């Protein structure tokens, strides 16, 4: 089966809508297999709430819910572990609460590979009340330029948080402008925490 992939999209539709994926189930395994219709999914008819074929599961119709780490934390854990790069979390400082845990795992991983341990390169823009009211694109740009000077990375990742998604921060434009200015890849990560409950968007 040939799949069309649109590489021009800034971000893809989340897995709940695109594939009808779920993280909770209240029924028999045989019913789950029947309703998922994995082998029969079609390109035109798939995903949450769509009728007439494809997957008929929908997270929104489940009688209960489970939660995993938010998408922003997952992006921090993954992009923050790239050794020659910097991750800038465009978020309030509370979104960085798990970074010490990620840092410990990063250092342990380096040590196991006989590489000198060091800390992860994650920076936060520490959004405050004024930033939420008036926007913080300039603060993100300043943080990225300071991180570039401090760490001399091969790439910079900019991660979206729930807060920056709610106020409509345009991290794609900021990333594009910075990339032209400093000459290394600057990658926007559309990973606001409420975007999806799945580890892979």
């Amino acid at each position: 089966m040939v799949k069309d992939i649109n590489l021009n999209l800034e971000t893809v539709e989340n897995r709940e809508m695109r594939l009808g994926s779920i993280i909770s189930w209240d029924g028999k395994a045989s019913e789950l297999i029947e309703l998922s219709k994995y082998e029969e999914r079609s390109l035109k008819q798939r995903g949450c709430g769509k009728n007439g074929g494809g997957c008929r599961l929908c997270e929104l119709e489940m009688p209960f819910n489970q939660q995993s780490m938010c998408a922003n934390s997952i992006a921090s854990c993954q992009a923050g572990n790239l050794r020659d790069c910097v991750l800038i979390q465009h978020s309030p400082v509370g979104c960085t609460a798990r970074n010490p845990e990620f840092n410990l795992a990063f250092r342990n991983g380096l040590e196991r590979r006989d590489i000198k341990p060091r800390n992860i390169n994650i920076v936060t823009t520490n959004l405050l009340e004024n930033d939420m009211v008036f926007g913080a694109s300039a603060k993100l740009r300043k943080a990225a330029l300071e991180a570039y000077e401090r760490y001399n990375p091969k790439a910079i990742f900019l991660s979206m948080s729930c807060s920056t998604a709610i106020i409509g921060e345009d991290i794609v434009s900021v990333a594009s402008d910075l990339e032209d200015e400093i000459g290394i890849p600057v990658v926007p990560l559309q990973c606001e925490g409420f975007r999806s409950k799945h580890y892979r968007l």
Side-chain angles (χ1 to χ4, degrees):
M1 175 172 34
V2 177
K3 294 183 179 181
D4 294 327
I5 299 174
N6 184 352
L7 298 177
N8 295 318
L9 293 174
E10 291 178 2
T11 183
V12 297
E13 192 176 32
N14 70 30
R15 289 173 77 88
E16 290 96 321
M17 300 304 291
R18 190 173 78 251
L19 303 176
S21 58
I22 61 171
I23 60 170
S24 61
W25 177 248
D26 182 32
K28 298 178 182 177
S30 59
E31 294 171 343
L32 179 61
I33 292 169
E34 173 62 25
L35 288 174
S36 70
K37 294 287 185 193
Y38 183 79
E39 294 82 8
E40 300 173 25
R41 289 178 183 170
S42 68
L43 288 174
K44 293 180 182 176
Q45 298 170 319
R46 62 182 179 183
C48 187
K50 297 180 182 177
N51 299 316
C55 181
R56 298 196 299 272
L57 295 172
C58 182
E59 187 85 56
L60 301 176
E61 295 170 1
M62 292 292 124
F64 68 95
N65 195 349
Q66 287 178 266
Q67 186 59 43
S68 61
M69 269 198 305
C70 78
N72 181 266
S73 284
I74 295 162
S76 301
C77 182
Q78 300 301 313
N81 279 298
L82 298 174
R83 285 188 285 166
D84 297 324
C85 301
V86 173
L87 169 67
I88 299 174
Q89 290 181 281
H90 194 32
S91 67
V93 73
C95 293
T96 67
R98 295 197 74 171
N99 288 357
E101 174 188 346
F102 301 151
N103 189 55
L104 180 61
F106 178 68
R107 292 179 64 88
N108 288 340
L110 292 177
E111 202 163 17
R112 273 186 258 157
R113 293 172 180 83
D114 293 324
I115 300 170
K116 183 180 177 182
R118 64 175 183 78
N119 293 326
I120 52 177
N121 296 335
I122 299 182
V123 175
T124 178
T125 51
N126 188 21
L127 298 180
L128 303 174
E129 186 175 344
N130 278 352
D131 301 319
M132 295 300 294
V133 174
F134 300 109
S137 293
K139 196 172 191 180
L140 175 60
R141 176 181 152 68
K142 181 180 178 187
L145 291 173
E146 286 185 15
Y148 177 70
E149 290 297 320
R150 179 181 297 180
Y151 298 109
N152 191 28
K154 293 181 179 175
I156 294 176
F157 294 91
L158 310 178
S159 72
M160 186 80 101
S161 66
C162 294
S163 303
T164 46
I166 289 168
I167 65 173
E169 286 283 276
D170 185 3
I171 67 169
V172 174
S173 294
V174 173
S176 179
D177 292 345
L178 282 167
E179 194 169 283
D180 291 341
E181 182 175 346
I182 62 180
I184 62 170
V186 180
V187 183
L189 303 175
Q190 309 259 3
C191 57
E192 56 272 27
F194 55 73
R195 179 169 172 73
S196 173
K197 292 188 286 295
H198 296 267
Y199 272 42
R200 291 179 169 182
L201 301 177

